Amino acid sequence: MKKFLFFLLTTALLSQPKLEDGYVVFKIYAPEAKKVAIAGDFNGWNRNDFLTRDENGFWTGKFKIKPGLYQYKFIVDDKWITDPGNPVRVENFNRTDYNSVFVLSYDWKILLQSEPDARANLEDIYPKTNKIYLNIIWHQHQPSYIDPERDELRGPWVRTHGTKDYYDMASILEKYPDVHVTINLTSSLLLQIEEFYVKRLKPYVNLERNRVDAKRYFKDGVRIDPWIDLMLKNSEEFTEVDFGYLYKNSWNCFSVSEVVLDRFPEYKALKEKNPNEYSISDIRKIKFFFYLANFDPDFLNGKVKLPNGLIVDLTDLIERREGKYYLKKEITEDDCNRIVAETFKVMSSIIPVHKKLMYDFKTRKGQIEIITTPFYHPILPLIYDTDVARICQPFDKLPQRFSYPDDAYMQVKKAVDYYHKIFGRKPLGMWPAEGAVSEQVVSIFVKNGIRWIATDEKVLSNSDPKGLPFYFPYRVDEDTIKGNNNENGSLLIVFRDTHLSDAIGFVYQNYDPEVAADDFIRYVLSFAPEDSSEERLISVILDGENAWEWYRKDEDGKGFLNALYRKLSKLYKEGQIVTVTMSEWIYGNPDRGIKSHPIIEHTEIEPLWAGSWINANFDTWIGEEEENLAWEYLLYVRQDMEKLNVKSPKNFESPKPGTKRYYELKAWESIYSAEGSDWFWWYGEDQTGLGGDEPFDEGFRTHLINVYKFLQKAGYKVETPEFLNNSILRLR
């Protein structure tokens, strides 16, 4: 009886898991147990992560976990149990049992949150409120996987998200004309879509036959990404290099989330099979499934008509039964070839569908405001001057100062120019990579004609004046025009609602889609002003790609998005929630009852806090040993370019291939690519990639090595530093 009372007391006090010294710590009281393990999303449901017992009968384990939502269970003497110290649980993926669940937020807090009462609010009944404006921004981004020397992409992720996310996140809005959103398409993403997957594949795709001329493709030496070659090559001719891309390398044909894998039982069985036992048929299916599992469910469940009139229909290959997909036939090499043609059709429709729905603030037509990001997605304030991190990270050790304002300017200018090339106009807004802002970079945006940017509400709370509510936009003035009331020298900033944005990214993945959409709507309405003359703007900003593959009760988040847009459409008609783009907010749209809000009329922030959307600082990209070493590498190479006096680009130049200037510009593209935030994101203990961090480390160093290779081809007498051949991850 004493043991039982002690058990009740201790589990009540635990209220776990807890965060201690950067580790997520789990405890369970099981004094009679011989062994205790923990398995969950954070360790791939590995049954062999055993906990350590102390003299009082407590078993403890600690894990380095990146922010996100996680399900887990303890395994006590081979018996699976939910966490008695965590009252929050959710149905597991198969809805046969329950798992414990918690959220680790990006501001490093443990959140225990279960699904609300699981009722589908099909009537969409909400309390009557005054009007509130909603600014939804979907951020679509991939880093530059381009290896300039090999002239191919090192990773397949632009393509996989292209067929799974980038097309349908825009096309879905056609069904909801009263819903207006903003989509951010980064330059590095657009470049890889257009230059590699569209222009390079187009000459080899026969749209009438729906096939690719593989023989001519290989004869011409076309390079796109290695997984395209894998599909067009006969599986019986695979080499060890091919098998690396198939299943041996960090990035391979099984690089999908466990949630996605569970929806394709035959695919999952192949992953669990001993590779030594793979048959040619197995190999063919593995590469085929890697493509198929990355098609949006709309393409798997029926015919989809693309903007150019082409049809994508995969229903002759696969069928859906009880929420899972099964092959309808034995897969052939011809089927694999066809999937590449289907991929081309979708990839070539991504930009056209955005153009079709693009909002024009002058004509007030369209639904989607399209914005972009500094070209290679750099943390712009750190490219300008890494010492700015001393403001928000005063106790962190920083690397030797990296300060290249001209590089920061070119990252923005290149993005504006490339956007203009693709869309025929210049962007009005930008999502600074990772919402990273500082006073220093305001003038760069202003000089390039950008009228508004966005970041996180935690940046606002650290800016002056203090105490400003996040549901209003604010103005920041360029240093040179302060006090002049010059509209052209001001920049409008909106601030991300952290709670709601993170709910979509981490919390709703375990909700019924109707319940999730209902929770979203009720939260937004809770901010509606009591005074009908007051206007409030809620901004929701997050990736429009990565969250959906983890939605367990809702395939690819489609149920949630359709429910959300349906509810927003009804509330627009009732005058309660008006989805608005920032160009509509600034310049007005009388057709939708939106008045103009000139930038100069907004309250000024002075000074703007230097920070990002994570923790209102830059500690995800600088301050840890690995991150600092990467900055030292980047500085070394950038200083070498300075010493050699390599003429920097001033605009888009098109020198003749093979000339000195051609290779100089190639070197500049390599250094700009290495300045991207994604490489620094994966260094350190705070982030870990699905396939490990090594491919990103290799990608970063490859860009730096290529600087020297191109300078050598340009005729410069320079040697590649030996240290660039050594992994930063192995040097820590």
Side-chain angles (χ1 to χ4, degrees):
M1 184 64 179
K2 288 182 179 179
K3 284 187 176 180
F4 179 69
L5 291 174
F6 182 64
F7 170 78
L8 290 178
L9 176 64
T10 51
T11 52
L13 290 175
L14 281 175
S15 184
Q16 63 159 35
K18 294 182 180 296
L19 195 63
E20 298 177 4
D21 299 325
Y23 289 87
V24 176
V25 179
F26 300 87
K27 283 187 177 181
I28 184 171
Y29 182 67
E32 308 299 332
K34 295 180 179 178
K35 60 179 179 179
V36 176
I38 190 169
D41 294 329
F42 51 84
N43 66 354
W45 291 91
N46 178 9
R47 301 170 56 114
N48 297 315
D49 270 335
F50 293 102
L51 278 58
T52 303
R53 186 187 188 281
D54 68 14
E55 59 185 13
N56 295 317
F58 283 101
W59 297 77
T60 304
K62 63 180 185 177
F63 298 83
K64 274 285 185 182
I65 299 176
K66 64 180 180 178
L69 181 145
Y70 300 96
Q71 296 187 33
Y72 68 98
K73 270 189 170 181
F74 288 111
I75 310 171
V76 180
D77 288 338
D78 298 322
K79 181 181 179 181
W80 292 76
I81 66 170
T82 54
D83 185 351
N86 180 355
V88 183
R89 61 180 191 166
V90 295
E91 282 186 313
N92 65 13
F93 180 68
N94 294 316
R95 302 195 182 191
T96 58
D97 196 5
Y98 289 88
N99 297 333
S100 297
V101 64
F102 72 96
V103 173
L104 177 60
S105 69
Y106 270 102
D107 53 358
W108 302 106
K109 295 178 181 177
I110 297 290
L111 309 177
L112 301 181
Q113 183 171 355
S114 60
E115 183 178 6
D117 292 339
R119 62 174 187 85
N121 186 20
L122 298 177
E123 297 182 34
D124 299 343
I125 300 174
Y126 302 101
K128 187 65 178 175
T129 64
N130 288 319
K131 182 189 297 182
I132 188 166
Y133 293 95
L134 176 63
N135 172 34
I136 300 175
I137 302 177
W138 299 118
H139 172 54
Q140 310 288 36
H141 164 64
Q142 290 295 322
S144 174
Y145 298 108
I146 301 170
D147 183 334
E149 187 185 34
R150 290 181 54 82
D151 195 28
E152 71 175 356
L153 304 184
R154 301 171 61 87
W157 313 120
V158 169
R159 172 180 51 76
T160 59
H161 284 292
T163 53
K164 193 178 74 67
D165 302 304
Y166 301 140
Y167 176 81
D168 76 284
M169 284 296 291
S171 68
I172 190 176
L173 288 160
E174 290 192 82
K175 295 188 293 184
Y176 307 98
D178 290 327
V179 176
H180 287 203
V181 307
T182 297
I183 294 181
N184 181 48
L185 298 173
T186 66
S187 302
S188 56
L189 172 64
L190 289 170
L191 178 68
Q192 291 171 98
I193 291 173
E194 279 294 281
E195 298 299 324
F196 286 82
Y197 292 108
V198 178
K199 289 184 179 179
R200 295 193 182 189
L201 257 181
K202 185 176 182 179
Y204 305 93
V205 178
N206 185 321
L207 293 174
E208 292 182 1
R209 292 185 58 247
N210 210 22
R211 296 296 185 274
V212 177
D213 187 339
K215 184 177 180 180
R216 191 160 60 89
Y217 172 91
F218 285 116
K219 181 181 178 182
D220 291 350
V222 180
R223 288 180 174 176
I224 299 176
D225 77 45
W227 291 268
I228 293 282
D229 295 355
L230 219 61
M231 289 295 274
L232 297 178
K233 186 175 182 179
N234 192 315
S235 302
E236 295 181 358
E237 300 173 1
F238 277 8
T239 65
E240 279 302 307
V241 172
D242 297 320
F243 284 120
Y245 293 120
L246 189 78
Y247 68 90
K248 293 182 178 180
N249 297 347
S250 296
W251 288 345
N252 60 57
C253 288
F254 290 116
S255 295
V256 298
S257 77
E258 293 299 320
V259 174
V260 171
L261 196 65
D262 278 336
R263 293 197 174 102
F264 297 84
E266 295 155 298
Y267 189 18
K268 185 175 182 179
L270 288 166
K271 183 178 182 180
E272 294 172 348
K273 187 174 182 178
N274 184 344
N276 295 326
E277 299 175 2
Y278 284 156
S279 65
I280 293 298
S281 176
D282 291 336
I283 292 169
R284 196 177 293 123
K285 288 177 184 175
I286 290 169
K287 66 179 186 180
F288 181 83
F289 269 121
F290 184 48
Y291 275 68
L292 199 70
N294 283 296
F295 271 85
D296 182 77
D298 288 351
F299 297 121
L300 303 179
N301 295 325
K303 294 181 180 180
V304 176
K305 187 175 182 180
L306 302 172
N308 56 10
L310 295 173
I311 301 292
V312 175
D313 182 6
L314 304 177
T315 55
D316 62 315
L317 299 172
I318 197 160
E319 61 182 349
R320 191 173 188 267
R321 302 196 305 266
E322 298 179 353
K324 299 181 185 294
Y325 291 98
Y326 299 87
L327 296 174
K328 295 173 72 171
K329 64 185 292 290
E330 182 65 28
I331 298 304
T332 66
E333 295 294 343
D334 185 62
D335 294 324
C336 295
N337 182 298
R338 171 191 162 185
I339 288 295
V340 178
E342 303 282 11
T343 296
F344 168 77
K345 289 191 291 188
V346 179
M347 298 299 288
S348 63
S349 298
I350 292 172
I351 291 177
V353 77
H354 284 85
K355 285 183 176 180
K356 179 182 179 181
L357 298 173
M358 189 174 185
Y359 180 78
D360 185 336
F361 78 95
K362 295 179 180 178
T363 64
R364 302 176 188 135
K365 303 298 182 183
Q367 288 177 258
I368 303 174
E369 178 169 356
I370 300 172
I371 61 173
T372 193
T373 290
F375 201 93
Y376 284 110
H377 206 267
I379 302 297
L380 205 67
L382 297 183
I383 300 302
Y384 195 105
D385 187 352
T386 52
D387 276 3
V388 74
R390 299 190 187 282
I391 297 174
C392 52
Q393 297 165 239
F395 304 109
D396 286 355
K397 181 180 179 181
L398 296 181
Q400 186 178 347
R401 185 184 187 190
F402 182 98
S403 181
Y404 288 91
D406 287 347
D407 288 14
Y409 180 86
M410 283 303 298
Q411 292 274 7
V412 175
K413 177 176 171 51
K414 280 174 62 64
V416 170
D417 289 348
Y418 190 67
Y419 181 105
H420 185 267
K421 176 184 175 182
I422 297 293
F423 296 107
R425 67 184 80 163
K426 293 186 177 182
L428 291 175
M430 272 197 176
W431 167 248
E434 311 295 358
V437 297
S438 69
E439 278 280 339
Q440 292 171 305
V441 301
V442 169
S443 63
I444 293 178
F445 290 116
V446 170
K447 285 181 172 64
N448 280 284
I450 300 302
R451 308 311 312 276
W452 68 272
I453 61 173
T455 184
D456 189 77
E457 64 176 282
K458 293 186 288 295
V459 172
L460 174 64
S461 66
N462 283 282
S463 301
D464 288 329
K466 296 289 190 294
L468 294 174
F470 72 90
Y471 45 74
F472 295 113
Y474 298 95
R475 184 183 94 242
V476 178
D477 290 342
E478 188 181 5
D479 286 339
T480 57
I481 57 91
K482 287 191 184 300
N484 292 341
N485 293 324
N486 183 347
E487 176 88 6
N488 293 325
S490 299
L491 191 67
L492 197 65
I493 306 184
V494 291
F495 296 89
R496 172 182 184 266
D497 184 313
T498 306
H499 172 86
L500 199 52
S501 303
D502 284 353
I504 297 175
F506 302 127
V507 178
Y508 292 159
Q509 60 184 248
N510 278 308
Y511 284 18
D512 176 273
E514 287 287 339
V515 174
D518 187 62
D519 184 77
F520 181 104
I521 294 294
R522 291 184 181 278
Y523 178 87
V524 173
L525 289 175
S526 72
F527 285 92
E530 294 183 7
D531 183 347
S532 61
S533 66
E534 182 183 339
E535 293 183 317
R536 294 182 179 180
L537 178 69
I538 298 290
S539 294
V540 176
I541 309 172
L542 73 153
D543 284 356
E545 53 195 15
N546 293 321
W548 316 124
E549 62 195 76
W550 297 100
Y551 270 52
R552 298 174 185 274
K553 296 184 179 181
D554 177 13
E555 190 176 345
D556 208 42
K558 299 306 285 285
F560 167 72
L561 288 171
N562 278 289
L564 177 63
Y565 291 157
R566 186 192 73 241
K567 295 171 190 286
L568 289 174
S569 297
K570 180 181 179 182
L571 289 167
Y572 169 75
K573 289 182 173 65
E574 295 177 355
Q576 289 186 256
I577 298 180
V578 177
T579 53
V580 62
T581 71
M582 287 310 299
S583 60
E584 283 183 293
W585 177 269
I586 295 171
Y587 298 106
N589 186 349
D591 297 339
R592 301 183 71 230
I594 304 168
K595 73 175 188 179
S596 63
H597 301 81
I599 297 174
I600 203 66
E601 294 180 1
H602 291 75
T603 300
E604 181 186 2
I605 295 173
E606 170 61 34
L608 175 67
W609 180 256
S612 74
W613 73 278
I614 302 178
N615 304 325
N617 62 26
F618 307 114
D619 66 2
T620 298
W621 303 273
I622 196 169
E624 289 188 274
E625 183 180 356
E626 284 180 2
E627 297 160 355
N628 291 346
L629 185 57
W631 282 104
E632 299 279 359
Y633 278 21
L634 181 65
L635 177 63
Y636 186 99
V637 178
R638 187 63 180 82
Q639 286 177 334
D640 271 357
M641 295 189 74
E642 261 188 317
K643 293 173 186 174
L644 294 169
N645 198 27
V646 183
K647 182 182 176 183
S648 62
K650 298 300 179 185
N651 48 43
F652 274 100
E653 302 176 46
S654 300
K656 182 179 179 181
T659 62
K660 177 179 180 179
R661 187 58 181 157
Y662 173 83
Y663 289 119
E664 284 179 336
L665 293 180
K666 284 283 190 179
W668 278 109
E669 291 300 323
S670 295
I671 199 73
Y672 292 150
S673 297
E675 290 174 346
S677 72
D678 301 86
W679 320 116
F680 301 93
W681 170 282
W682 297 109
Y683 288 127
E685 296 292 332
D686 46 11
Q687 305 293 343
T688 301
L690 185 64
D693 297 345
E694 288 78 9
F696 294 98
D697 174 49
E698 186 178 350
F700 173 69
R701 289 182 293 104
T702 295
H703 284 307
L704 295 180
I705 290 169
N706 282 333
V707 171
Y708 292 95
K709 289 182 177 180
F710 288 127
L711 290 178
Q712 290 161 4
K713 289 181 179 181
Y716 291 90
K717 303 298 181 182
V718 63
E719 295 295 325
T720 304
E722 182 59 32
F723 65 79
L724 289 179
N725 294 312
N726 299 317
S727 171
I728 291 176
L729 297 171
R730 290 197 298 267
L731 293 175
R732 59 176 174 172

